[in-house]
Each structure stands twice: as C-alpha cells, then as structure tokens.
Amino acid sequence: MAELIRLDGLTKRFGDLLAVDDVSLSLEAGQVLGFLGPNGAGKTTTMRMIAGFMEPTAGTAVVCDYDVIQDPVAVRRNIGFLPEGAPTYGDMTARSYLEFIAEIRGFDG
C-alpha cells in the first residue's frame, strides 16, 4: 500500500517548552489514526505541523510524497484539516487571507 503520511522525529519547541517530542509514524491508504490525550499534549501542534501551518523544530513530515516544509501548498492540496480555530496570520488582511486560501485551492481570477 502507498504511504500517505510519514513523520520522522517530528518535534516542536516553544522556547523551553517541548510541545511535541520525537513523533514518528506512517499512515497508509485505508488506515485510520486518532490522536487522544489531555489538553496540552501536542495533538493540535502535531496536526498543524502535518498541515504545513507550523514549522517543526526538528524532524520531517511528508504527506503524499510532499515535504511540509519544502512544498506546503502541495500538502494542503492533498489533505483536509479542520482545526479548532481557523489558522490566520496576524499580518494578513481579510483580502490577503482569502487570496491565500484561493491560491492553496488552485483558484485564479
């Protein structure tokens, strides 16, 4: 079966806080994976790194053969991710956010 998601040593630090510690896994077509844990366990942070919304401190995440750091737009074209809160960027206007989302989805005009 084809490997759809691969994490190798995925780690995220926020200063001295270790939020995600050396997560490695692979997920093939047809498999289902759930993250369970208490608040602050790193579930959302891991998903944000897989979706390319947050850069890992260390390790790699590959989705459908696209590295989330090298080609985050291609990653987003291949996944569906509904975060708890919509990922926005403080320096974006409403227009620039909509243009960003349109670009990710491959829309033009």
Side-chain angles (χ1 to χ4, degrees), residues 53 72-78 89 97-107:
F53 293 122
V73 173
V75 167
R76 291 183 196 127
R77 285 186 181 133
N78 283 279
Y89 304 94
Y97 179 73
L98 291 173
E99 289 171 344
F100 171 70
I101 295 301
E103 179 183 346
I104 290 171
R105 303 280 188 255
F107 298 130

Side-chain angles (χ1 to χ4, degrees), residues 38-99:
N39 288 346
K43 302 176 301 290
T44 299
T45 300
T46 301
M47 288 303 301
R48 286 180 178 161
M49 289 188 288
I50 293 169
F53 293 122
M54 183 178 288
E55 193 167 321
T57 304
T60 59
V62 176
V63 177
C64 297
D65 293 325
Y66 297 104
D67 184 281
V68 298
I69 300 301
Q70 296 173 6
D71 205 347
V73 173
V75 167
R76 291 183 196 127
R77 285 186 181 133
N78 283 279
I79 64 171
F81 172 51
L82 181 61
E84 186 175 336
T88 58
Y89 304 94
D91 60 335
M92 282 187 163
T93 64
R95 180 184 184 94
S96 64
Y97 179 73
L98 291 173
E99 289 171 344

